[in-house]
Amino acid sequence: MFEFIRKHSKIVMGLLFLLIIPSFVLFGIERRNNEQAQTVATVDGQGITQNEWDNAHRNEVERLRASMPTLDPSLLDSPQARYASLERLVRDHVLAAAARKSNLVTSNQRLASALEENPTIASLRKPDGSLDMDRYKQLVGAQGMTPATFEAGVRSDLSARQVMEGVTGTSFATSAQVDVALNAFLGKREVQVASFNTADFESRVTLTDADLEAFYKSNQTMFQAPEQANIQYVVLDLDTVKNSITLNPQDVKTYYEQNAARLSGQEERRASHILIAVPKDATASQRDKAKARADELLAMVKKDPASFAEIAKKYSQDPGSAAKGGDLDYFTRDAMVKPFADAVFAMKTGDISGVVPTEYGFHIIKLTGIKEPKPRSFEEMKPEIEANLKNQQAQQKFAQAADDFTNSVYEQSDSLQPVADKLKLKVQTANNVTLKPAPGVNGVLANAKFLQALFAPDSIAKKRNTEAIEIAPNQLVSGRVTQYTPSRIQPFAEIKDQVRQRLLAIRGAALAKTEGMAKLATWKANPAATVLPPAVVVSRDQTQNLAGPVVEAILRADSSTLPSLIGVDLGAQGYVVARIDKVIPREPSTGAAAAQERTQFTQWVASAEGLAYYDLLKERFNATIKVPKPPAKAAEELAKG
């Protein structure tokens, strides 16, 4: 065989070419088609992939969970929340494209300034003022980035921000514009309101069994039970890994001995100061003048140390401490800027420093107290140390446990017990689970991604484990269907009461609307016969418990001829008739309130102009989202009647 290949190498190469090259071509076409299929949006001819969208949404979820730990996780994984993440991603791409085309760049100096203003990064500074690079790398590494990629992202954000600031930063509103808009928006109207509520008319409805059966047969989609499944599932999270860790008592003791001083806290010192402030953009002459003034005050304090507090009250330019005689209370070394802290922590109680220059100006400091950290015993610190060590080890072990979890649920896909035994997890069960979580359900069983995996056709048909799904940071889940019930129309006998309530509500709403419209027509034809409740004053901030559509209709109604009658159809809730008797002008604001209103209105104008400009940019750069937008809220079934 090999001899044949050696002698006829050209023929063999030709055959291989004919067989292999088309495979590469077809593979390339397939791969290209897959990439196109994964494109969820385009901006300026560049595609945004499903993977980018998933990553952007994951980052947004982690940010929101960190800032609002009590937020319901199901809200973050809803189709509406995911689509909002895609819209933000498209916006970022549009602004980045606009910045590129406009040659807007961010200088190194502006980047450095932005990083310095970031409070999280500022907290990483060492006592000498330099940045702790190791902690900085850990911070950005936790977000899956290097310092270079993080800084490139900040630079890009700053450049993109310039695009919108050119519009929103120049918005303004005149007093006349503010008055016209706010007078219309915040005006009040004196009205009389008659409500025809659905519930009040249901008692007039008579229903026979024939009515109920006819309604049931013609509206069976209303009574369709969703598909359901009984499931098993296992969850791997950081707490589970942490609970599996057993610490060596000697390791805990050693950690205490090596960190006792740090764990006991930092030394604190109390000081008072006199500040002669210097602006950051001060000239050399201004700094010299301020220094000379500080020298004068220092001479006064040295001459009479007991007068320090009085001199501070009279001459210090620190508004936060001057009234207290310059007292700053107790603070740690890292709470103050380096020159100030260096001076304070080199002094003895009662000492008065020379003139200390900092970025804020010139200080004269008096040390008034020293609070040494109180040593804490091993027994006192033991629970805290154990918790810290377990947390550190859990963070390190979770990655390996996650790999084991992912592999096990895939490789032994017909049962969750093997992965549960291997990682000491509990196989949990849940019955009557639906693709759309029932009200009040939260946690794992409310996670849209997990539910979609459970109700995937392959998962239902083969009853295999789902893949490992990340439902939150450091939290994986896998589940399997043990029993499946497809969607079905519920038998009339089982839901007869539900059918009755539905039909009662629909016919009650129809009667309410008919009665309300009849009264409206009668009162318009014969105003003298109008019988309405006492008048109330209605505005957008005084709704008198009226429904939103009613308030809007009242405030938008033509007031050129008063009184005037209007009707408002509230659908399933009934009908409302309102008579507008009087327009009450808004009382004009004065002083600080007027200035605040103008500022607020200018912000509204800036926001509106920013949205309009962004819409223009989307059109200019052909921004297109290729996935359908989910409905903001499911329509009420009752409204269908």
Side-chain angles (χ1 to χ4, degrees):
M1 178 68 181
F2 290 106
E3 183 66 19
F4 174 83
I5 293 174
R6 186 182 64 79
K7 289 181 178 180
H8 302 87
S9 60
K10 290 186 178 180
I11 296 174
V12 173
M13 289 297 290
L15 288 170
L16 289 174
F17 182 84
L18 291 173
L19 292 170
I20 296 174
I21 295 303
S23 299
F24 278 109
V25 172
L26 292 174
F27 174 76
I29 292 173
E30 182 181 2
R31 181 177 178 182
R32 200 157 48 243
N33 287 339
N34 287 340
E35 288 177 351
Q36 290 173 351
Q38 291 177 350
T39 300
V40 294
T42 57
V43 175
D44 198 25
Q46 301 295 315
I48 297 174
T49 66
Q50 179 72 47
N51 189 46
E52 288 181 82
W53 181 15
D54 290 341
N55 290 337
H57 182 66
R58 187 182 303 110
N59 292 337
E60 183 67 11
V61 167
E62 290 178 0
R63 184 186 68 80
L64 290 172
R65 284 175 62 87
S67 59
M68 295 179 285
T70 60
L71 188 64
D72 184 353
S74 64
L75 297 177
L76 304 178
D77 241 343
S78 67
Q80 292 80 7
R82 289 186 57 79
Y83 194 85
S85 294
L86 179 57
E87 288 182 314
R88 280 189 291 272
L89 185 58
V90 169
R91 178 183 172 86
D92 291 344
H93 279 253
V94 168
L95 296 182
R100 286 195 306 271
K101 295 295 175 68
S102 302
N103 296 317
L104 297 175
V105 295
T106 298
S107 65
N108 292 336
Q109 183 178 3
R110 177 70 185 92
L111 174 64
S113 177
L115 294 176
E116 288 177 1
E117 292 168 3
N118 186 311
T120 303
I121 295 176
S123 68
L124 303 181
R125 295 199 173 277
K126 299 177 182 177
D128 63 1
S130 63
L131 185 64
D132 188 331
M133 288 304 299
D134 290 337
R135 293 174 63 198
Y136 177 51
K137 290 177 181 177
Q138 290 176 1
L139 174 68
V140 299
Q143 303 173 52
M145 293 183 284
T146 65
T149 55
F150 172 73
E151 289 163 15
V154 174
R155 192 188 296 272
S156 177
D157 289 344
L158 292 172
S159 297
R161 198 179 302 168
Q162 296 179 64
V163 174
M164 297 305 295
E165 285 178 349
V167 175
T168 59
T170 57
S171 299
F172 68 93
T174 65
S175 297
Q177 289 174 316
V178 174
D179 288 340
V180 169
L182 294 185
N183 285 344
F185 189 75
L186 299 177
K188 302 177 181 180
R189 295 192 172 188
E190 186 177 282
V191 297
Q192 293 171 276
V193 180
S195 296
F196 301 85
N197 298 317
T198 296
D200 298 333
F201 286 82
E202 289 181 1
S203 60
R204 303 185 190 180
V205 177
T206 301
L207 297 176
T208 65
D209 285 350
D211 292 331
L212 298 180
E213 288 191 33
F215 179 72
Y216 167 79
K217 289 177 180 178
S218 60
N219 295 276
Q220 288 196 343
T221 55
M222 283 188 181
F223 309 107
Q224 185 169 348
E227 58 180 337
Q228 296 181 346
N230 295 346
I231 68 166
Q232 294 177 337
Y233 64 100
V234 288
V235 179
L236 174 70
D237 56 22
L238 202 60
D239 286 339
T240 304
V241 177
K242 195 183 301 181
N243 293 336
S244 69
I245 294 172
T246 302
L247 297 173
N248 184 328
Q250 185 56 47
D251 290 342
V252 179
K253 183 71 172 177
T254 301
Y255 185 90
Y256 170 78
E257 292 169 352
Q258 293 176 347
N259 297 276
R262 179 180 62 82
L263 295 173
S264 295
Q266 302 180 54
E267 177 185 329
E268 295 182 3
R269 295 201 168 197
R270 186 171 190 167
S272 299
H273 80 141
I274 299 168
L275 171 67
I276 301 300
V278 179
K280 289 186 177 180
D281 57 352
T283 63
S285 175
Q286 289 173 320
R287 289 192 64 82
D288 290 343
K289 185 176 180 181
K291 173 66 166 58
R293 179 56 176 158
D295 288 335
E296 291 176 8
L297 295 176
L298 177 61
M300 294 169 61
V301 169
K302 291 286 189 181
K303 185 175 181 180
D304 183 9
S307 66
F308 190 99
E310 288 302 317
I311 293 174
K313 286 181 182 179
K314 189 172 182 180
Y315 298 112
S316 179
Q317 295 172 350
D318 176 10
S321 68
K324 298 181 289 186
D327 182 35
L328 298 170
D329 210 335
Y330 281 97
F331 54 85
T332 57
R333 175 184 279 273
D334 57 5
M336 298 295 180
V337 293
K338 186 176 184 300
F340 191 97
D342 288 347
V344 169
F345 281 81
M347 296 166 65
K348 297 178 181 178
T349 303
D351 284 356
I352 295 175
S353 71
V355 174
V356 178
T358 73
E359 59 192 87
Y360 302 105
F362 297 98
H363 309 256
I364 303 165
I365 308 168
K366 180 177 182 180
L367 185 64
T368 57
I370 298 175
K371 189 186 292 184
E372 297 284 354
K374 179 184 177 182
R376 300 170 69 185
S377 69
F378 173 68
E379 291 303 321
E380 184 182 1
M381 290 295 301
K382 185 177 178 181
E384 183 179 334
I385 294 173
E386 289 178 338
N388 287 338
L389 288 176
K390 279 192 174 184
N391 191 55
Q392 292 173 16
Q393 293 184 26
Q395 292 283 358
Q396 295 168 0
K397 291 184 176 182
F398 183 81
Q400 180 59 51
D403 284 342
D404 291 342
F405 184 90
T406 301
N407 293 334
S408 294
V409 298
Y410 174 76
E411 293 168 356
Q412 296 171 290
S413 61
D414 59 345
S415 174
L416 292 170
Q417 198 59 51
V419 72
D421 293 340
K422 183 175 184 178
L423 297 176
K424 296 181 175 59
L425 305 176
K426 179 183 178 182
V427 177
Q428 302 180 66
T429 61
N431 295 332
N432 302 322
V433 175
T434 56
L435 181 57
K436 182 180 179 181
V441 174
N442 51 37
V444 172
L445 298 179
N447 185 272
K449 185 183 285 188
F450 178 51
L451 293 174
Q452 287 166 5
L454 280 172
F455 284 91
D458 189 62
S459 178
I460 292 171
K462 299 179 181 178
K463 293 184 171 53
R464 290 179 176 171
N465 302 339
T466 68
E467 64 178 343
I469 297 168
E470 183 179 20
I471 58 174
N474 296 326
Q475 189 172 29
L476 297 174
V477 63
S478 175
R480 62 187 301 269
V481 173
T482 57
Q483 182 179 337
Y484 174 73
T485 303
S487 175
R488 63 188 178 92
I489 302 297
Q490 299 175 86
F492 175 74
E494 291 181 10
I495 57 166
K496 184 177 179 180
D497 287 341
Q498 292 182 34
V499 176
R500 180 183 299 278
Q501 292 303 319
R502 292 265 189 168
L503 189 52
L504 272 177
I506 290 172
R507 293 193 176 178
L511 286 177
K513 181 178 179 179
T514 300
E515 179 81 3
M517 293 179 69
K519 289 291 186 183
L520 176 62
T522 300
W523 292 338
K524 280 186 174 182
N526 183 12
T530 304
V531 179
L532 292 166
V536 293
V537 175
V538 173
S539 65
R540 285 184 172 86
D541 59 353
Q542 292 177 306
T543 64
Q544 305 295 344
N545 294 320
L546 296 174
V550 176
V551 174
E552 286 299 317
I554 289 170
L555 295 175
R556 291 175 182 272
D558 182 11
S559 60
S560 57
T561 302
L562 295 178
S564 66
L565 283 160
I566 62 170
V568 184
D569 184 1
L570 294 178
Q573 283 72 47
Y575 197 84
V576 167
V577 175
R579 187 174 81 172
I580 297 96
D581 296 326
K582 185 190 300 183
V583 174
I584 304 174
R586 178 181 73 100
E587 294 182 7
S589 301
T590 58
Q596 184 177 4
E597 285 179 354
R598 182 168 179 176
T599 299
Q600 180 67 67
F601 186 78
T602 302
Q603 291 173 354
W604 292 342
V605 171
S607 178
E609 291 179 342
L611 288 173
Y613 182 57
Y614 174 61
D615 286 340
L616 178 65
L617 291 176
K618 284 198 298 183
E619 183 177 344
R620 181 179 301 169
F621 294 108
N622 298 316
T624 304
I625 295 179
K626 297 188 175 185
V627 297
K629 185 173 184 177
K633 185 179 180 181
E636 293 291 339
E637 293 285 354
L638 193 57
K640 295 179 182 178

